[in-house]
């Protein structure tokens, strides 16, 4: 995947969003799921869906809220076996026409503001990119099969001498005996 082509090219034209808002429901196709799975190094992505609402706000701003659901498999970091997972996470994003032009120091953001701020690009809300980034952030960074622990992998083999080795023991053997 290249940086300029997102795996989900879902967009919503701002002209299509009335003041009262509209429901937004998008289900990924087989090709889109394969593209996302490859981009996120998933073993499989059986389902990916966004269901929410887009609302027109004052000042040419828009808010997209909803729920992302996904059924997927990641590789266990210990055994590389498939680890099934279900992602169910909220999305709350505000799109602004000037989000890219305004330096962060000048953005007036309240501390309790729950939504992210994204730019409106060429009159469109890039919903697919936002869904993809939110899904990527929701993934388990170190998935493990139930019952697998890294401690077992680091343990000494059975029958190994577990007494703490003296780092100078090898040097003591080289010292001439008098």
């Amino acid at each position: 995947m290249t940086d300029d082509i997102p795996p989900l090219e879902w967009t919503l034209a701002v002209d299509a969003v009335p003041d009262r808002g509209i429901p937004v429901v998008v289900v990924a196709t087989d090709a889109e799921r394969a593209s996302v799975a490859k981009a996120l190094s998933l073993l499989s992505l059986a389902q990916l869906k966004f269901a929410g609402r887009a609302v027109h706000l004052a000042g040419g701003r828009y808010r997209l809220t909803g729920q992302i659901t996904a059924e997927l498999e990641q590789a266990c970091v210990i055994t590389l076996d498939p680890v099934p997972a279900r992602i169910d996470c909220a999305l709350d994003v505000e799109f602004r026409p000037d989000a890219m032009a305004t330096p962060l120091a000048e953005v007036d953001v309240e501390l309790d503001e729950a939504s992210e701020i994204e730019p409106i690009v060429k009159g469109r809300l890039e919903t697919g990119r936002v869904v993809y980034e939110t899904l990527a952030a929701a993934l388990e960074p170190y998935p493990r099969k139930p019952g697998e622990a890294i401690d077992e992998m680091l343990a000494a083999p059975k029958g190994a001498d577990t007494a703490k080795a003296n780092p100078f023991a090898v040097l003591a053997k080289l010292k001439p005996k008098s």
Side-chain angles (χ1 to χ4, degrees):
M1 182 185 100
T2 61
D3 291 336
D4 56 344
I5 301 173
L8 295 173
E9 297 184 46
W10 303 340
T11 61
L12 180 61
V14 295
D15 297 342
V17 181
D19 291 342
R20 66 187 182 284
I22 59 169
V24 179
V25 178
V26 188
V27 178
T29 65
D30 291 343
E32 289 169 332
R33 288 194 324 269
S35 179
V36 170
K38 181 178 179 185
L40 296 176
S41 300
L42 302 175
L43 298 178
S44 70
L45 181 58
Q47 184 228 354
L48 175 59
K49 177 182 177 181
F50 172 74
R53 186 166 189 79
V55 179
H56 183 228
L57 305 173
R61 299 173 302 133
Y62 296 83
R63 175 166 264 153
L64 180 68
T65 58
Q67 203 71 16
I68 300 169
T69 56
E71 299 283 339
L72 56 96
E73 286 185 332
Q74 294 177 274
C76 174
V77 294
I78 298 171
T79 65
L80 300 180
D81 290 335
V83 178
R86 175 172 172 79
I87 304 292
D88 193 9
C89 62
L91 181 127
D92 186 356
V93 180
E94 183 177 314
F95 290 88
R96 295 182 180 176
D98 59 352
M100 294 297 278
T102 307
L104 284 178
E106 297 177 19
V107 175
D108 184 24
V109 178
E110 293 183 28
L111 293 177
D112 63 345
E113 188 173 308
S115 64
E116 297 289 324
I117 298 173
E118 293 289 336
I120 296 173
V121 179
K122 298 179 183 176
R124 302 191 77 72
L125 309 179
E126 294 184 335
T127 57
R129 180 182 53 77
V130 174
V131 167
Y132 169 78
E133 290 172 358
T134 305
L135 174 65
L139 291 175
E140 173 62 46
Y142 303 104
R144 291 188 308 215
K145 274 181 66 173
E148 294 294 336
I150 195 74
D151 296 340
E152 296 171 10
M153 299 295 290
L154 298 176
K158 290 182 181 174
D161 183 15
T162 57
K164 187 168 179 157
N166 181 346
F168 300 105
V170 174
L171 294 176
K173 292 179 183 176
L174 297 176
K175 184 177 178 183
K177 296 181 182 180
S178 37

